[in-house]
Amino acid sequence: MAEPAISFQDVTRRYPQKAAAGDVVALQDIWLDVPQGAVTGIIGRSGAGKSTLLRMVNGLERPSSGKVIVNGHDVGAASDASLRAIRREVGMIFQHFNLLASRTVAENIALPLEIASEDPARIPARVGELIERVGLTAQASRYPAELSGGQKQRVGIARALATAPRVLLSDEATSALDPDTTRQVLELLQSINRELGLTILLITHEMGVVRDICSHVAVIEAGRIVEAGETYSVFSRPGHATTRSFLQGVTGVAVPHFVAGQLRDTPQDASAEAVVQVTFTGRHATDPMLARLTAERGVSVNILAGAIEEIGDKPFGSLIVGLPSGRLDESRRFLEEHGLMTEVLGYVG
Amino acid sequence: MSANLIPILWESTLQTLYMVALSTLLGTLIGAPLGIFLATSRRGELLSSPVLNTVLGLAVNAARSTPFIILVVAIIPLTRLIAGTSIGTTAAIVPLTIASAPFIARLIETAIREVDAGLIEAARAMGAAPFQIVRKVLIPEAMPGIILGLTLAVVSLIGYSAMVGAVGGGGLGDLGIRYGYQRFMPEVMLAVVVILILLVQAVQSCGEWIASRFDKRAPRNRGR
């Protein structure tokens, strides 16, 4: 396997407190490899430590212990001068864009080039190229105050790409945007990832962002990574409660309201119906397993909700079905033997 | 008002303009770097040096809490050292500068502290050195606030300049006291006040206009 673009090796970050209460631990025992050329998402609730984790990649935060290796450089141990050189290989975009209000779109994009002491004669051509890539040619001489949120983030992206970095960090880049604009910005990031082979590491609290563009994901909770891997396998076999709660409503379907209101933890009588979430992944997503359950075992299946979508270019199906509680164990065994995953959500009746 | 007072009024106006212009210029030359440093040198900030920040902050506060008329008299030896004399319009520029520099420093510090911390973070993420951040981010972004601050400083200096008559500084304020008050010529007093009002008004409008030229934060500046 190729060298990871970014590697967190046993990273801990503590914030010393003045009071004797002890240090606040923001991150603990982080081991994480971010693969080259992939889009990796770190998902967590606010305060989980994802922002601190992201800022360690370009040295805006330093680890209290452990190493952060980026493009082969040990960022945590770098001197100020070499850190500035490393930062030019790592672009960053922000939730609130952080554009200079006093500079036009073109001037904002030129800023990192000026900072890198690029030959002034070569800046306009490079800026023009970047403006075209993000589709803002008509807005080149406008000021940020005259742009929409989506346009501002495009400027942010162009600016982050100016010094031709190998890694792009995204700090909740779509959290301040509406769903349509979010989709456009994510598509732009995805096309940049594919066309430039740029490694993207993003943090988000929205599983939809992970589903849409991340091939890899790490779930962070209270300063620890609780689950990490390829998005598809994490989505299909979430191992941690936090992951499952993030997945709710993002993959497939939610339990319909008229059923959710009646759900109980235990069946009340023999005629009760078990409400089961069935997840189909990979090649099984297209198999007619429920039909076979009915045909071969004579179990009647009541479909309550369902959807099939694509995650990481693979089909991912999710169904919520009602099964007779008396035949629940047998049915689950049948489905699981054929590669489907089942989870009992509760009972009705 | 008799016609022979007009040249005196004109001369006093020029003296005021001369004192205010030079002391604003010198005060800014001292106050701007000081203000930028104060805005960026607390613990953990760009030019982090908390001890120097505290010492300079105390010095600025001390200078600002001294009543101007006392400052003028107290620093007469220093004035003599710098200007060669402690009397006259040029000599008056010394106390005016010393009073304006810490004031301007605080105004510029405030304007720079208004700049969104996210912009500093973005610049750091680009690999900018502290000095580049000051030059390319903080100063341009704070410019509208800095201009309005300097406008306020000029207006205050016009007021202070009225007090330097105490050391023979001349100017409009001095004229108002000597002719209007001490010689019972209320029309001179009135003329002085009117000229001062017009001056302040002109300075304020001018400052606001320049600040708005720098201010790209609101879409009203579309197509400047």
Side-chain angles (χ1 to χ4, degrees):
Chain A
M1 196 184 135
E3 249 328 74
I6 303 164
S7 178
F8 294 92
Q9 300 172 357
D10 198 16
V11 169
T12 294
R13 179 71 167 104
R14 287 181 218 92
Y15 292 102
Q17 297 294 298
K18 277 181 184 164
D23 298 351
V24 170
V25 180
L27 290 171
Q28 205 163 9
D29 312 328
I30 303 287
W31 288 91
L32 180 69
D33 281 350
V34 176
Q36 290 279 3
V39 183
T40 301
I42 296 173
I43 184 162
R45 297 194 178 86
S46 51
K50 54 190 192 298
S51 185
T52 308
L53 191 63
L54 190 78
R55 280 163 173 68
M56 283 186 177
V57 176
N58 58 4
L60 293 175
E61 293 268 359
R62 302 233 185 188
S64 306
S65 66
K67 282 184 179 180
V68 182
I69 310 288
V70 178
N71 298 333
H73 308 286
D74 184 344
V75 176
S79 67
D80 283 357
S82 59
L83 191 56
R84 287 198 280 275
I86 293 169
R87 283 172 177 164
R88 285 166 199 169
E89 292 181 15
V90 180
M92 189 167 186
I93 58 176
F94 304 87
Q95 178 174 5
H96 298 296
F97 324 119
N98 294 354
L99 302 177
L100 272 65
S102 59
R103 286 184 170 229
T104 63
V105 167
E107 289 164 351
N108 263 289
I109 298 170
L111 181 61
L113 298 168
E114 293 171 20
I115 285 170
S117 306
E118 180 68 56
D119 176 1
R122 289 167 56 185
I123 291 179
R126 175 72 182 139
V127 169
E129 209 176 286
L130 291 156
I131 289 183
E132 201 181 318
R133 170 168 284 283
V134 299
L136 288 176
T137 312
Q139 284 80 21
S141 53
R142 299 242 160 169
Y143 287 91
E146 304 169 74
L147 303 180
S148 71
Q151 289 173 326
K152 285 181 196 169
Q153 196 56 285
R154 285 169 184 273
V155 179
I157 292 170
R159 183 178 70 174
L161 295 177
T163 52
R166 295 159 68 187
V167 172
L168 178 68
L169 305 177
S170 164
D171 178 8
E172 297 271 9
T174 57
S175 299
L177 304 175
D178 63 58
D180 265 1
T181 317
T182 294
R183 195 174 39 75
Q184 290 165 13
V185 168
L186 292 179
E187 277 168 11
L188 177 62
L189 288 176
Q190 195 161 40
S191 76
I192 286 164
N193 163 255
R194 286 181 181 156
E195 287 161 31
L196 304 178
L198 193 71
T199 303
I200 298 182
L201 179 62
L202 61 84
I203 60 175
T204 183
H205 61 269
E206 294 166 316
M207 209 42 137
V209 171
V210 174
R211 177 195 60 201
D212 291 347
I213 67 165
C214 297
S215 62
H216 294 71
V217 64
V219 182
I220 187 166
E221 165 86 10
R224 291 171 188 272
I225 290 180
V226 295
E227 194 156 4
E230 288 185 31
T231 306
Y232 192 76
S233 52
V234 171
F235 270 51
S236 47
R237 291 172 194 277
H240 195 273
T242 307
T243 317
R244 279 197 288 273
S245 83
F246 273 120
L247 282 171
Q248 240 161 36
V250 174
T251 53
V253 283
V255 181
H257 286 298
F258 72 94
V259 178
Q262 304 175 41
L263 274 187
R264 297 169 203 268
D265 291 341
T266 51
Q268 300 296 300
D269 55 54
S271 69
E273 201 170 58
V275 177
V276 178
Q277 172 145 22
V278 183
T279 310
F280 313 64
T281 57
R283 60 191 174 83
H284 298 295
T286 49
D287 290 355
M289 289 315 301
L290 291 173
R292 283 179 57 191
L293 179 63
T294 308
E296 292 174 23
R297 302 293 169 96
V299 177
S300 59
V301 178
N302 179 15
I303 296 179
L304 299 169
I308 294 184
E309 57 204 318
E310 273 182 37
I311 292 168
D313 294 332
K314 293 178 207 162
F316 184 97
S318 182
L319 276 178
I320 292 183
V321 297
L323 297 170
S325 58
R327 315 229 14 213
L328 178 62
D329 291 343
E330 177 196 351
S331 304
R332 287 184 73 184
R333 217 165 23 245
F334 176 84
L335 294 172
E336 283 172 9
E337 275 166 12
H338 289 86
L340 276 58
M341 277 163 289
T342 62
E343 186 186 352
V344 179
L345 304 173
Y347 298 87
V348 176
Chain B
M1 190 182 343
S2 54
N4 61 355
L5 280 174
I6 301 286
I8 298 176
L9 271 172
W10 177 243
E11 193 197 357
S12 297
T13 305
L14 287 183
Q15 284 172 342
T16 292
L17 289 176
Y18 169 70
M19 286 188 290
V20 170
L22 257 185
S23 54
T24 303
L25 183 71
L26 295 172
T28 306
L29 285 178
I30 301 166
L34 187 56
I36 291 166
F37 181 79
L38 287 173
T40 53
S41 57
R42 284 191 202 150
R43 188 180 306 281
E45 291 181 333
L46 276 184
L47 307 171
S48 176
S49 44
V51 175
L52 192 54
N53 181 289
T54 307
V55 170
L56 288 175
L58 283 173
V60 162
N61 289 346
R64 293 201 53 212
S65 39
T66 311
F68 182 65
I69 192 69
I70 293 177
L71 183 83
V72 170
V73 183
I75 63 159
I76 282 178
L78 180 70
T79 307
R80 194 172 290 133
L81 193 70
I82 295 172
T85 170
S86 63
I87 295 170
T89 309
T90 301
I93 288 170
V94 176
L96 281 172
T97 299
I98 287 174
S100 69
F103 184 43
I104 289 172
R106 283 296 186 209
L107 290 168
I108 288 182
E109 179 190 2
T110 308
I112 286 181
R113 287 204 179 277
E114 292 284 309
V115 176
D116 182 359
L119 297 184
I120 300 176
E121 186 178 48
R124 288 179 66 207
M126 288 173 207
F131 187 68
Q132 286 179 312
I133 297 178
V134 168
R135 195 163 52 93
K136 291 198 169 285
V137 178
L138 293 179
I139 294 177
E141 287 291 302
M143 213 50 181
I146 291 174
I147 301 286
L148 289 176
L150 289 179
T151 306
L152 184 59
V154 171
V155 169
S156 304
L157 277 173
I158 291 175
Y160 283 175
S161 73
M163 285 184 247
V164 293
V167 289
L172 285 167
D174 186 40
L175 181 75
I177 293 289
R178 283 190 295 119
Y179 281 67
Y181 178 64
Q182 288 162 354
R183 296 190 194 177
F184 304 107
M185 296 168 79
E187 71 277 16
V188 176
M189 183 77 91
L190 184 67
V192 162
V193 170
V194 168
I195 292 173
L196 284 174
I197 289 172
L198 292 176
L199 265 184
V200 168
Q201 203 58 251
V203 166
Q204 188 65 37
S205 305
C206 219
E208 280 170 15
W209 181 76
I210 298 173
S212 79
R213 298 284 294 177
F214 276 101
D215 193 351
K216 308 297 182 189
R217 286 171 295 192
R220 67 187 150 82
N221 290 308
R222 196 184 301 272
R224 30 157 202 164

